[in-house]
Amino acid sequence: AIAHASEQRIGNFNAQELANTAWAFAIVDTADRGAFVKVLSARAAEMGLAAFNGEQRRHLHQLFLSVELDANPPTELLAPIGLRDACRQAMADNNPTRMSKLQEDVSYELTRMGI
């Protein structure tokens, strides 16, 4: 239901709304998550990477990573490599003094896993 409602309105989302929705999909276990990445990636490409600040890119990264960690996701449900890499880099470059506890935990685990 959330995915369908979001897909209906995503063309009107600004960068913050897109990032907030991406973060919500990252933390909620839903079968629609992968399909939403496809729609989100198209909207992000339309807006251009420069539209997203570091925090917003980190939210996108959390969604992309959650889909990548699902068992054998179909390639078409993954975000484009360039977008994934830019969002992953935003997570890696994050100033630790500005990270939330959750982001610190996620960053620690990703580093520990070698991702």
Side-chain angles (χ1 to χ4, degrees), residues 84-99:
R84 285 189 311 207
D85 287 348
C87 293
R88 181 180 295 120
Q89 191 62 48
M91 183 69 87
D93 291 345
N94 192 28
N95 179 349
T97 61
R98 294 183 42 179
M99 276 202 278

Side-chain angles (χ1 to χ4, degrees), residues 3 6-11 13-26 32-49 52 56-57 59-64 67 76-80 83-84 87:
S6 297
E7 288 174 17
Q8 298 280 323
R9 295 176 178 83
I10 202 165
F13 282 12
N14 63 32
Q16 186 64 55
E17 293 164 335
L18 201 62
N20 289 348
T21 306
W23 183 81
F25 271 89
D32 297 341
R33 186 169 40 207
F36 182 71
V37 167
K38 188 174 180 180
V39 174
L40 178 141
S41 295
R43 176 64 178 145
E46 179 183 299
M47 294 172 70
L49 194 56
F52 299 94
Q56 294 160 346
R57 290 180 189 186
H59 288 327
L60 296 176
H61 175 67
Q62 289 172 319
L63 173 61
F64 299 156
V67 172
E76 67 270 10
L77 297 184
L78 297 176
L83 180 59
R84 285 189 311 207
C87 293

Side-chain angles (χ1 to χ4, degrees), residues 5 12 16 20 26 29 43 45 48 53 71-73 83 97 101 103:
N12 297 320
Q16 186 64 55
N20 289 348
D29 187 20
R43 176 64 178 145
N53 65 30
N72 300 315
L83 180 59
T97 61
K101 175 69 172 128
Q103 287 173 323

